[in-house]
Amino acid sequence: GLESVVDIAISGNGEPTTAREFADVAALICRIIAEFGLSPGVRPRVITNGSLVGRAHVDEGLRRLAACGGEAWFKVDAGSAEGFARINDVHLTPRQVASRLHRCAELIPTWVQTCAFAMDGAAPTDTEIEAYLDLLRQADAALLQGVLLYGLARPSLQPEASRLSPLSEPELERIAGKIRQIGLTVRVSP
């Protein structure tokens, strides 16, 4: 069959916005899309943890990508400081993450990318899900494009991989339903 390019993703084994050249790369991608007549079919997309949103070169890169039809996929896997520490091994508060997510969504159309899984056999608790929903509300859910909710489709490479297991489709759909109740579009990929 025919192959087609649907996006140009900026991601990496690490945070792509740490590159000092991020804004220049964004401009180059937009120039290539224009030169090759790839718009509106090809969308530039940055996959980010949002840790550097607010820095001038990052915000400028996000603005440039937005100007040529781009979007951000902003990774949020928890809603509490405990969850960020346990899942992502970072020390952040929900307020910090919500603030960066809000800023990102002001600069570029932004989807929240969330992996849901069981840890030590336990699915996320209602308390954890509510903390996650609160974070999305704090960020201003109305600014967001929606949530890309996915499961553990492939084995995790993280040291705690043996502690992680996929959620069932009904469990993923239950979480998706709670997200939809706060007015967000959800795309589920088991």
Side-chain angles (χ1 to χ4, degrees):
L2 290 174
E3 299 276 333
S4 64
V5 177
V6 294
D7 71 354
I8 298 174
I10 306 168
S11 66
N13 191 6
E15 174 54 32
T17 63
T18 58
R20 286 189 315 274
E21 306 82 4
F22 176 67
D24 295 332
V25 168
L28 178 61
I29 288 170
C30 291
R31 199 160 60 244
I32 289 167
I33 286 171
E35 260 178 51
F36 288 87
L38 301 175
S39 186
V42 175
R43 179 182 300 275
R45 181 172 289 134
V46 62
I47 300 167
T48 179
N49 65 20
S51 59
L52 301 180
V53 170
R55 293 197 181 171
H57 80 283
V58 175
D59 288 7
E60 182 56 30
L62 295 174
R63 272 190 211 95
R64 288 176 180 180
L65 291 172
C68 70
E71 65 186 21
W73 286 6
F74 190 114
K75 195 103 177 68
V76 181
D77 291 331
S80 66
E82 301 77 29
F84 300 133
R86 187 177 69 250
I87 295 169
N88 304 110
D89 199 26
V90 291
H91 298 286
L92 289 170
T93 66
R95 182 172 300 284
Q96 288 171 306
V97 176
S99 173
R100 291 175 186 154
L101 178 55
H102 179 88
R103 173 89 179 140
C104 188
E106 286 181 322
L107 296 167
I108 187 169
T110 300
W111 287 86
V112 174
Q113 187 185 42
T114 299
C115 185
F117 51 85
M119 188 174 256
D120 299 324
T125 65
D126 285 343
T127 303
E128 289 166 330
I129 295 167
E130 198 50 49
Y132 170 83
L133 297 173
D134 281 344
L135 187 154
L136 297 181
R137 287 185 196 102
Q138 276 182 52
D140 189 356
L143 271 181
L144 303 170
Q145 301 300 300
V147 174
L148 305 168
L149 181 67
Y150 65 101
L152 285 181
R154 57 184 189 268
S156 169
L157 300 176
Q158 301 193 247
E160 60 276 359
S162 63
R163 298 176 58 200
L164 310 181
S165 57
L167 296 177
S168 68
E169 277 198 57
E171 287 172 304
L172 275 177
E173 284 299 338
R174 186 179 79 85
I175 295 169
K178 289 177 178 269
I179 298 167
R180 288 184 183 108
Q181 285 175 349
I182 68 166
L184 283 166
T185 297
V186 185
R187 295 183 189 158
V188 181
S189 305

